[in-house]
Amino acid sequence: ADEDLEFTKGLSTADEPDLWRKELTGEIALWIDLGQPDEKRIRKAAGRAKQVVIYTYNGRSASVWWEQMKDKLNRFDNLAVINLADDTVAALARLAQRSMRLQCTLQDGEMWMGNDKGSVPVVPQVLKPLRG
């Protein structure tokens, strides 16, 4: 959570992440990708940004991707990989509406996303933590 996070062109350009936070100098402080990016894209992100975080999801597909990538990605100290469980993603999808107003609560290491109809606990599984 950061008030300076911005959505980018994302899928329409390979040179930008899905979300980022830039410093006043224009340097990329945080590069966030969703899904299962390829190794070339991750290398580029790790070289351009101070920190890179990949949020992966999609159950079995994410597990297969991680097994193929983990040894290749271990060398990047500025990279974190976080998996969201299928049931969490499905619950978050049920919160989606045409005109959304979501709240995020972070307390004592726990995160909850919600709207006026309910809330969902989000417990990410850290596959690779940031080092350094």
Side-chain angles (χ1 to χ4, degrees):
D2 191 302
E3 65 185 26
D4 293 329
L5 272 178
E6 298 177 31
F7 285 100
T8 67
K9 296 174 188 162
L11 294 176
S12 66
T13 179
D15 292 338
E16 294 182 1
D18 297 310
L19 291 161
W20 63 14
R21 180 173 42 87
K22 285 187 165 184
E23 295 182 349
L24 294 175
T25 61
E27 187 176 7
I28 302 169
L30 177 61
W31 174 298
I32 298 174
D33 263 341
L34 306 174
Q36 300 162 19
D38 63 30
E39 182 183 2
K40 181 180 176 184
R41 180 172 174 85
I42 296 168
R43 268 196 325 266
K44 180 193 287 190
R48 290 185 60 198
K50 287 184 179 180
Q51 293 183 332
V52 178
V53 179
I54 298 170
Y55 289 94
T56 189
Y57 55 92
N58 205 7
R60 175 90 176 112
S61 174
S63 295
V64 169
W65 173 84
W66 177 241
E67 285 302 314
Q68 293 172 347
M69 299 293 282
K70 69 181 176 183
D71 291 334
K72 298 172 188 173
L73 302 182
N74 196 38
R75 66 186 169 115
F76 298 109
D77 291 342
N78 65 334
L79 171 68
V81 179
I82 299 169
N83 184 58
L84 297 176
D86 282 349
D87 57 340
T88 299
V89 173
L92 289 169
R94 288 191 293 275
L95 293 177
Q97 300 172 1
R98 180 178 282 279
S99 176
M100 292 190 292
R101 191 173 202 83
L102 295 174
Q103 299 88 34
C104 178
T105 304
L106 298 169
Q107 182 176 350
D108 298 328
E110 295 183 10
M111 180 174 141
W112 293 79
M113 293 291 296
N115 61 17
D116 59 343
K117 296 184 184 243
S119 61
V120 174
V122 178
V123 181
Q125 175 191 14
V126 177
L127 300 175
K128 182 192 176 309
L130 285 170
R131 292 188 308 252

